[in-house]
Amino acid sequence: MGKIVKWFMSCGYSESEATTEANKMIEANRWDGVEKCSREFAIEMILEDLQDF
């Protein structure tokens, strides 16, 4: 999650705001349409997407 928080902070968010937004993003990405995946898997998917930036 630290990398996601750092990414938000690089976009101008404070650490507190970045943590809040990272948690929101992780929770939103836990749903694959039908089932809820693990928090760790959601973080991995987000980090993969961030590597493309």
Side-chain angles (χ1 to χ4, degrees):
M1 184 171 135
K3 289 182 181 182
I4 300 169
V5 170
K6 287 180 185 178
W7 180 77
F8 274 112
M9 290 176 68
S10 75
C11 296
Y13 287 78
S14 70
E15 185 173 359
S16 174
E17 293 169 329
T19 301
T20 298
E21 292 302 317
N23 279 317
K24 287 180 189 176
M25 179 183 272
I26 292 164
E27 285 305 310
N29 279 280
R30 288 185 70 185
W31 290 97
D32 67 0
V34 178
E35 295 182 3
K36 193 171 186 179
C37 66
S38 71
R39 183 173 172 85
E40 292 77 19
F41 185 73
I43 291 170
E44 288 177 30
M45 290 189 306
I46 294 167
L47 292 175
E48 270 185 32
D49 289 344
L50 291 179
Q51 287 179 3
D52 295 337
F53 283 96

